[in-house]
PDB file of all heavy atoms in Angstrom:
ATOM      1  N   ALA A  67      -6.275  -0.701 -53.145  1.00  0.00           N
ATOM      2  CA  ALA A  67      -6.212   0.317 -52.132  1.00  0.00           C
ATOM      3  C   ALA A  67      -5.933   1.677 -52.740  1.00  0.00           C
ATOM      4  O   ALA A  67      -6.539   2.758 -52.362  1.00  0.00           O
ATOM      5  CB  ALA A  67      -5.233  -0.031 -51.087  1.00  0.00           C
ATOM      6  N   GLN A  68      -5.144   1.773 -53.796  1.00  0.00           N
ATOM      7  CA  GLN A  68      -4.838   3.020 -54.331  1.00  0.00           C
ATOM      8  C   GLN A  68      -6.164   3.614 -55.077  1.00  0.00           C
ATOM      9  O   GLN A  68      -6.406   4.771 -55.045  1.00  0.00           O
ATOM     10  CB  GLN A  68      -3.649   2.945 -55.441  1.00  0.00           C
ATOM     11  CG  GLN A  68      -2.299   2.826 -54.793  1.00  0.00           C
ATOM     12  CD  GLN A  68      -1.284   2.504 -55.845  1.00  0.00           C
ATOM     13  OE1 GLN A  68      -1.616   1.947 -56.973  1.00  0.00           O
ATOM     14  NE2 GLN A  68      -0.032   2.959 -55.632  1.00  0.00           N
ATOM     15  N   LEU A  69      -6.865   2.743 -55.699  1.00  0.00           N
ATOM     16  CA  LEU A  69      -8.057   3.120 -56.350  1.00  0.00           C
ATOM     17  C   LEU A  69      -9.097   3.594 -55.333  1.00  0.00           C
ATOM     18  O   LEU A  69      -9.820   4.546 -55.515  1.00  0.00           O
ATOM     19  CB  LEU A  69      -8.597   1.929 -57.181  1.00  0.00           C
ATOM     20  CG  LEU A  69      -8.074   1.537 -58.538  1.00  0.00           C
ATOM     21  CD1 LEU A  69      -8.683   0.423 -59.184  1.00  0.00           C
ATOM     22  CD2 LEU A  69      -8.235   2.799 -59.456  1.00  0.00           C
ATOM     23  N   ARG A  70      -9.199   2.807 -54.168  1.00  0.00           N
ATOM     24  CA  ARG A  70     -10.235   3.298 -53.221  1.00  0.00           C
ATOM     25  C   ARG A  70      -9.811   4.617 -52.644  1.00  0.00           C
ATOM     26  O   ARG A  70     -10.564   5.518 -52.353  1.00  0.00           O
ATOM     27  CB  ARG A  70     -10.224   2.256 -52.073  1.00  0.00           C
ATOM     28  CG  ARG A  70     -10.946   0.951 -52.435  1.00  0.00           C
ATOM     29  CD  ARG A  70     -11.138  -0.008 -51.145  1.00  0.00           C
ATOM     30  NE  ARG A  70      -9.901  -0.350 -50.440  1.00  0.00           N
ATOM     31  CZ  ARG A  70      -9.271  -1.478 -50.786  1.00  0.00           C
ATOM     32  NH1 ARG A  70      -9.519  -2.220 -51.773  1.00  0.00           N
ATOM     33  NH2 ARG A  70      -8.166  -1.676 -50.009  1.00  0.00           N
ATOM     34  N   GLN A  71      -8.492   4.671 -52.510  1.00  0.00           N
ATOM     35  CA  GLN A  71      -7.947   6.135 -51.893  1.00  0.00           C
ATOM     36  C   GLN A  71      -8.211   7.185 -52.882  1.00  0.00           C
ATOM     37  O   GLN A  71      -8.580   8.307 -52.526  1.00  0.00           O
ATOM     38  CB  GLN A  71      -6.503   5.899 -51.598  1.00  0.00           C
ATOM     39  CG  GLN A  71      -5.882   7.150 -50.782  1.00  0.00           C
ATOM     40  CD  GLN A  71      -4.481   6.839 -50.466  1.00  0.00           C
ATOM     41  OE1 GLN A  71      -3.785   6.647 -51.313  1.00  0.00           O
ATOM     42  NE2 GLN A  71      -4.155   7.172 -49.204  1.00  0.00           N
ATOM     43  N   ALA A  72      -8.052   7.101 -54.171  1.00  0.00           N
ATOM     44  CA  ALA A  72      -8.377   7.949 -55.127  1.00  0.00           C
ATOM     45  C   ALA A  72      -9.714   8.388 -55.257  1.00  0.00           C
ATOM     46  O   ALA A  72     -10.028   9.576 -55.473  1.00  0.00           O
ATOM     47  CB  ALA A  72      -7.796   7.534 -56.557  1.00  0.00           C
ATOM     48  N   HIS A  73     -10.630   7.386 -55.009  1.00  0.00           N
ATOM     49  CA  HIS A  73     -12.173   7.810 -55.032  1.00  0.00           C
ATOM     50  C   HIS A  73     -12.475   8.522 -53.839  1.00  0.00           C
ATOM     51  O   HIS A  73     -13.544   9.187 -53.817  1.00  0.00           O
ATOM     52  CB  HIS A  73     -12.954   6.537 -55.322  1.00  0.00           C
ATOM     53  CG  HIS A  73     -12.665   6.030 -56.710  1.00  0.00           C
ATOM     54  ND1 HIS A  73     -12.996   6.788 -57.866  1.00  0.00           N
ATOM     55  CD2 HIS A  73     -12.247   4.769 -57.115  1.00  0.00           C
ATOM     56  CE1 HIS A  73     -12.611   5.952 -58.958  1.00  0.00           C
ATOM     57  NE2 HIS A  73     -12.264   4.699 -58.529  1.00  0.00           N
ATOM     58  N   THR A  74     -11.870   8.279 -52.575  1.00  0.00           N
ATOM     59  CA  THR A  74     -12.374   8.857 -51.467  1.00  0.00           C
ATOM     60  C   THR A  74     -11.708  10.160 -51.118  1.00  0.00           C
ATOM     61  O   THR A  74     -12.150  10.849 -50.129  1.00  0.00           O
ATOM     62  CB  THR A  74     -12.265   7.750 -50.232  1.00  0.00           C
ATOM     63  OG1 THR A  74     -10.675   7.449 -50.202  1.00  0.00           O
ATOM     64  CG2 THR A  74     -12.997   6.498 -50.551  1.00  0.00           C
ATOM     65  N   THR A  75     -10.569  10.461 -51.796  1.00  0.00           N
ATOM     66  CA  THR A  75      -9.867  11.732 -51.532  1.00  0.00           C
ATOM     67  C   THR A  75     -10.590  12.908 -52.019  1.00  0.00           C
ATOM     68  O   THR A  75     -10.942  12.984 -53.195  1.00  0.00           O
ATOM     69  CB  THR A  75      -8.518  11.618 -52.123  1.00  0.00           C
ATOM     70  OG1 THR A  75      -7.869  10.443 -51.732  1.00  0.00           O
ATOM     71  CG2 THR A  75      -7.617  12.913 -51.809  1.00  0.00           C
ATOM     72  N   PRO A  76     -10.880  13.834 -51.182  1.00  0.00           N
ATOM     73  CA  PRO A  76     -11.600  15.094 -51.619  1.00  0.00           C
ATOM     74  C   PRO A  76     -10.675  15.940 -52.546  1.00  0.00           C
ATOM     75  O   PRO A  76      -9.563  15.851 -52.603  1.00  0.00           O
ATOM     76  CB  PRO A  76     -11.939  15.932 -50.335  1.00  0.00           C
ATOM     77  CG  PRO A  76     -10.868  15.334 -49.408  1.00  0.00           C
ATOM     78  CD  PRO A  76     -10.518  13.934 -49.704  1.00  0.00           C
ATOM     79  N   ARG A  77     -11.425  16.606 -53.441  1.00  0.00           N
ATOM     80  CA  ARG A  77     -10.581  17.390 -54.531  1.00  0.00           C
ATOM     81  C   ARG A  77      -9.895  18.517 -53.922  1.00  0.00           C
ATOM     82  O   ARG A  77      -8.735  18.842 -54.284  1.00  0.00           O
ATOM     83  CB  ARG A  77     -11.694  17.939 -55.569  1.00  0.00           C
ATOM     84  CG  ARG A  77     -12.112  16.965 -56.573  1.00  0.00           C
ATOM     85  CD  ARG A  77     -12.887  17.659 -57.596  1.00  0.00           C
ATOM     86  NE  ARG A  77     -12.695  16.880 -58.836  1.00  0.00           N
ATOM     87  CZ  ARG A  77     -13.137  17.205 -59.834  1.00  0.00           C
ATOM     88  NH1 ARG A  77     -13.728  18.356 -60.044  1.00  0.00           N
ATOM     89  NH2 ARG A  77     -13.061  16.443 -60.884  1.00  0.00           N
ATOM     90  N   SER A  78     -10.385  19.256 -52.897  1.00  0.00           N
ATOM     91  CA  SER A  78      -9.839  20.384 -52.227  1.00  0.00           C
ATOM     92  C   SER A  78     -10.237  20.366 -50.836  1.00  0.00           C
ATOM     93  O   SER A  78     -11.195  19.739 -50.401  1.00  0.00           O
ATOM     94  CB  SER A  78      -9.926  21.525 -53.067  1.00  0.00           C
ATOM     95  OG  SER A  78     -11.272  22.129 -52.906  1.00  0.00           O
ATOM     96  N   ALA A  79      -9.644  21.252 -50.000  1.00  0.00           N
ATOM     97  CA  ALA A  79      -9.917  21.393 -48.664  1.00  0.00           C
ATOM     98  C   ALA A  79     -11.344  21.973 -48.502  1.00  0.00           C
ATOM     99  O   ALA A  79     -12.098  21.633 -47.484  1.00  0.00           O
ATOM    100  CB  ALA A  79      -8.971  22.328 -47.978  1.00  0.00           C
ATOM    101  N   THR A  80     -11.746  22.796 -49.420  1.00  0.00           N
ATOM    102  CA  THR A  80     -13.156  23.279 -49.290  1.00  0.00           C
ATOM    103  C   THR A  80     -14.203  22.482 -49.932  1.00  0.00           C
ATOM    104  O   THR A  80     -15.346  22.634 -49.675  1.00  0.00           O
ATOM    105  CB  THR A  80     -13.210  24.730 -49.912  1.00  0.00           C
ATOM    106  OG1 THR A  80     -12.947  24.379 -51.405  1.00  0.00           O
ATOM    107  CG2 THR A  80     -12.236  25.666 -49.474  1.00  0.00           C
ATOM    108  N   GLY A  81     -13.849  21.385 -50.632  1.00  0.00           N
ATOM    109  CA  GLY A  81     -14.739  20.400 -51.212  1.00  0.00           C
ATOM    110  C   GLY A  81     -15.322  20.826 -52.543  1.00  0.00           C
ATOM    111  O   GLY A  81     -16.036  20.182 -53.204  1.00  0.00           O
ATOM    112  N   SER A  82     -14.894  22.004 -53.127  1.00  0.00           N
ATOM    113  CA  SER A  82     -15.313  22.499 -54.315  1.00  0.00           C
ATOM    114  C   SER A  82     -14.059  22.435 -55.351  1.00  0.00           C
ATOM    115  O   SER A  82     -12.948  22.480 -54.966  1.00  0.00           O
ATOM    116  CB  SER A  82     -15.961  23.862 -54.339  1.00  0.00           C
ATOM    117  OG  SER A  82     -14.837  24.705 -53.851  1.00  0.00           O
ATOM    118  N   SER A  83     -14.454  22.451 -56.648  1.00  0.00           N
ATOM    119  CA  SER A  83     -13.362  22.463 -57.596  1.00  0.00           C
ATOM    120  C   SER A  83     -12.706  23.809 -57.683  1.00  0.00           C
ATOM    121  O   SER A  83     -13.442  24.850 -57.464  1.00  0.00           O
ATOM    122  CB  SER A  83     -13.968  21.912 -59.000  1.00  0.00           C
ATOM    123  OG  SER A  83     -14.900  22.904 -59.365  1.00  0.00           O
ATOM    124  N   PRO A  84     -11.538  23.980 -58.299  1.00  0.00           N
ATOM    125  CA  PRO A  84     -10.808  25.136 -58.386  1.00  0.00           C
ATOM    126  C   PRO A  84     -11.557  26.036 -59.385  1.00  0.00           C
ATOM    127  O   PRO A  84     -12.084  25.536 -60.401  1.00  0.00           O
ATOM    128  CB  PRO A  84      -9.406  24.906 -58.714  1.00  0.00           C
ATOM    129  CG  PRO A  84      -9.435  23.407 -59.081  1.00  0.00           C
ATOM    130  CD  PRO A  84     -10.705  22.869 -58.640  1.00  0.00           C
ATOM    131  N   SER A  85     -11.479  27.379 -59.082  1.00  0.00           N
ATOM    132  CA  SER A  85     -12.131  28.170 -60.030  1.00  0.00           C
ATOM    133  C   SER A  85     -11.292  28.435 -61.358  1.00  0.00           C
ATOM    134  O   SER A  85     -10.072  28.196 -61.402  1.00  0.00           O
ATOM    135  CB  SER A  85     -12.335  29.668 -59.505  1.00  0.00           C
ATOM    136  OG  SER A  85     -10.956  30.331 -59.426  1.00  0.00           O
ATOM    137  N   PRO A  86     -11.920  28.768 -62.419  1.00  0.00           N
ATOM    138  CA  PRO A  86     -11.186  29.033 -63.675  1.00  0.00           C
ATOM    139  C   PRO A  86     -10.103  30.035 -63.569  1.00  0.00           C
ATOM    140  O   PRO A  86      -9.027  29.976 -64.164  1.00  0.00           O
ATOM    141  CB  PRO A  86     -12.257  29.460 -64.748  1.00  0.00           C
ATOM    142  CG  PRO A  86     -13.602  28.949 -64.275  1.00  0.00           C
ATOM    143  CD  PRO A  86     -13.322  28.943 -62.755  1.00  0.00           C
ATOM    144  N   LEU A  87     -10.280  31.035 -62.810  1.00  0.00           N
ATOM    145  CA  LEU A  87      -9.274  32.201 -62.594  1.00  0.00           C
ATOM    146  C   LEU A  87      -8.049  31.558 -61.884  1.00  0.00           C
ATOM    147  O   LEU A  87      -6.900  31.816 -62.226  1.00  0.00           O
ATOM    148  CB  LEU A  87      -9.830  33.292 -61.704  1.00  0.00           C
ATOM    149  CG  LEU A  87      -9.007  34.484 -61.585  1.00  0.00           C
ATOM    150  CD1 LEU A  87      -8.581  35.135 -62.838  1.00  0.00           C
ATOM    151  CD2 LEU A  87      -9.640  35.530 -60.607  1.00  0.00           C
ATOM    152  N   SER A  88      -8.266  30.708 -60.826  1.00  0.00           N
ATOM    153  CA  SER A  88      -7.114  30.159 -60.185  1.00  0.00           C
ATOM    154  C   SER A  88      -6.419  29.190 -61.016  1.00  0.00           C
ATOM    155  O   SER A  88      -5.112  29.205 -61.031  1.00  0.00           O
ATOM    156  CB  SER A  88      -7.559  29.541 -58.852  1.00  0.00           C
ATOM    157  OG  SER A  88      -8.389  28.326 -59.140  1.00  0.00           O
ATOM    158  N   LEU A  89      -7.113  28.476 -61.965  1.00  0.00           N
ATOM    159  CA  LEU A  89      -6.471  27.596 -62.811  1.00  0.00           C
ATOM    160  C   LEU A  89      -5.595  28.341 -63.915  1.00  0.00           C
ATOM    161  O   LEU A  89      -4.598  27.908 -64.124  1.00  0.00           O
ATOM    162  CB  LEU A  89      -7.580  26.620 -63.573  1.00  0.00           C
ATOM    163  CG  LEU A  89      -8.170  25.621 -62.759  1.00  0.00           C
ATOM    164  CD1 LEU A  89      -9.195  24.997 -63.633  1.00  0.00           C
ATOM    165  CD2 LEU A  89      -7.157  24.558 -62.284  1.00  0.00           C
TER     166      LEU A  89
END
Side-chain angles (χ1 to χ4, degrees):
Q68 285 174 333
L69 284 173
R70 285 191 302 272
Q71 191 178 49
H73 290 303
T74 59
T75 303
R77 283 189 154 184
S78 67
T80 62
S82 63
S83 62
S85 70
L87 182 60
S88 67
L89 288 177

